[in-house]
Amino acid sequence: MERNTLTQNTSFQLGEFDIIAAYFKDLTDQDGVALGIGDDAAIINLPLQSETQLVVASDTLVDGVHFPSDASACQIARRALCVNLSDMAAMAAIPRWFTLALTLPREKANRQWLRDFSAGLAEVALEYNCALIGGDTTAGPLSITITMLGEVAAGAGLMRSGATNGDGIYVTGFLGDGAAGLLATTEINSLSSIPINVSERLLNFFYQPRPQINAALKIRYLASACIDISDGLVADLGHICESSGVAASINTAMLPIHPDLKEHFEDQCHNWALFGGDDYQLCFTVPAADLPAIDDWIFHGELDATRIGSIVSSSDDNPVVLIDGCKSIDQLRGFDHFVL
Ligand code: ADP
Ligand code: MG
């Protein structure tokens, strides 16, 4: 961008270009990058043959909306990168490169905040082997936009639209930890009865969800549809159903809920698993013929996933996602443990 307000302000300790050079320029290995940070745009090498496709996703995190205002720079950076990586997992793509558009209030543009932010970003980028190749730095209310670029074998990208009647429905990991983690960020005091190791696990999970790249790569040739769970299982499974023109029937007794949640949040945990957001697990469907292969991987510990239901044909009388056979959310609220 031409005239950045950061560099115009003389009382500001660090200018835009100082920030980029000190905290973003050499953050990661530059595999496949022909021209990285420092010019008007980055250039990346793509194979001349078309056996791979480029997968592109963007997510913005806004202060006070997507993370609490008292979150540390390191926590914000990790979360921003993880939620973008989760979109790559949802497509079964291998993350490769990302850009960072950082809007930063003047009071945060100090060396310590930027060092922590850069360290959090580098840690996750290293773990998932993706390179920061460019971005933009401006002054204003704190917001972070990451655009992630990944690779997928041509035609192997998992979409929301492939589920058919009779497919099994699976989720990876545990559900409900994201909603519990959000509570842990906002209501530390009301969690005083919860052991410290439990609230710490939840906080860590909230700030560093585990993008399910490996699970996605494992299932990519068997799954018929896939989505990452950012808005809650029912909402996101609903997207698969709408895109695929089907409905889903799930069994709440099968929902994978961490024992900590069952023990300390007995009343809320089913509700969180169904409707809470921020889990960043995958929900995927598998044709009936391939269910034994998936179940075998799960049985042998090669895939951390749970079968929670089946795809059924859609009908005007039923909701898109039938929960324990209930036809409406109102009916569900009849059960104590589903009170919202
Ligand atoms: P321009 O004025 O052409 O838009 P900038 O001066 O904004 O370019 O950026 C200079 C270089 O620094 C570019 O290569 C840009 O991609 C990179 N850059 C700017 N901000 C960031 C950031 N937050 N993270 C990584 N790279 C950045
Ligand atoms: Mg330019």
Side-chain angles (χ1 to χ4, degrees):
M1 207 172 281
E2 272 290 288
R3 291 178 63 77
N4 191 300
T5 47
L6 280 177
T7 37
Q8 281 173 270
N9 187 329
T10 48
S11 63
F12 196 68
Q13 308 117 302
L14 285 166
E16 173 196 356
F17 299 108
D18 305 320
I19 292 176
I20 297 165
Y23 300 105
F24 299 124
K25 199 164 176 10
D26 297 310
L27 195 73
T28 47
D29 280 348
Q30 301 281 298
D31 189 25
V33 180
L35 181 66
I37 291 173
D39 212 304
D40 292 306
I43 301 179
I44 51 182
N45 296 320
L46 294 177
L48 289 175
Q49 308 298 324
S50 53
E51 304 108 17
T52 51
Q53 292 173 319
L54 194 62
V55 182
V56 185
S58 261
D59 253 317
T60 296
L61 271 67
V62 176
D63 187 7
V65 179
H66 301 99
F67 55 85
S69 293
D70 61 359
S72 74
C74 186
Q75 289 172 323
I76 296 167
R78 283 183 187 153
R79 181 164 163 81
L81 197 46
C82 286
V83 303
N84 277 276
L85 286 163
S86 182
D87 281 327
M88 291 290 115
M91 308 303 292
I94 298 172
R96 296 294 307 276
W97 310 281
F98 65 101
T99 62
L100 165 71
L102 176 64
T103 303
L104 197 60
R106 294 211 160 74
E107 66 273 15
K108 289 210 193 297
N110 58 65
R111 291 200 180 275
Q112 190 185 339
W113 197 95
L114 282 156
R115 202 181 304 120
D116 287 354
F117 186 87
S118 166
L121 209 59
E123 198 185 295
V124 179
L126 192 71
E127 183 179 351
Y128 289 89
N129 202 22
C130 52
L132 178 60
I133 57 165
D136 199 15
T137 308
T138 51
L142 181 60
S143 106
I144 300 106
T145 298
I146 287 180
T147 298
M148 180 66 66
L149 306 172
E151 275 186 285
V152 73
L158 287 178
M159 290 172 280
R160 301 176 177 185
S161 55
T164 50
N165 197 355
D167 288 2
I169 303 169
Y170 293 82
V171 291
T172 58
F174 293 112
L175 297 179
D177 285 346
L182 180 63
L183 182 76
T185 66
T186 54
E187 292 179 40
I188 294 286
N189 295 339
S190 69
L191 295 181
S192 55
S193 60
I194 307 295
I196 191 82
N197 63 318
V198 173
S199 53
E200 266 174 15
R201 188 186 80 81
L202 293 172
L203 275 178
N204 283 339
F205 182 86
F206 182 82
Y207 285 114
Q208 196 168 357
R210 311 296 311 163
Q212 296 295 306
I213 304 282
N214 289 338
L217 297 182
K218 183 91 181 159
I219 59 155
R220 69 184 143 167
Y221 295 114
L222 296 187
S224 49
C226 187
I227 193 167
D228 69 321
I229 304 176
S230 52
D231 296 333
L233 171 67
V234 173
D236 289 316
L237 177 56
H239 292 314
I240 287 188
C241 291
E242 277 148 26
S243 298
S244 303
V246 294
S249 171
I250 60 174
N251 178 353
T252 54
M254 303 302 290
L255 294 176
I257 296 174
H258 193 282
D260 284 351
L261 258 63
K262 286 187 181 160
E263 182 177 345
H264 299 288
F265 302 97
E266 195 189 347
D267 293 342
Q268 301 105 309
C269 67
H270 280 84
N271 195 27
W272 286 340
L274 287 167
F275 305 109
D278 298 310
D279 279 327
Y280 297 102
Q281 298 292 345
L282 298 179
C283 175
F284 60 96
T285 58
V286 175
D290 295 315
L291 297 177
I294 298 278
D295 291 340
D296 197 55
W297 285 338
I298 295 172
F299 183 76
H300 289 103
E302 292 170 44
L303 177 68
D304 177 16
T306 309
R307 200 196 308 181
I308 59 162
S310 317
I311 294 294
V312 295
S313 54
S314 64
S315 93
D316 291 343
D317 300 340
N318 284 339
V320 165
V321 179
L322 270 148
I323 304 165
D324 291 339
C326 290
K327 290 195 189 284
S328 73
I329 296 286
D330 288 340
Q331 225 179 321
L332 269 178
R333 287 194 180 129
F335 296 105
D336 270 1
H337 52 273
F338 291 121
V339 172
L340 292 174

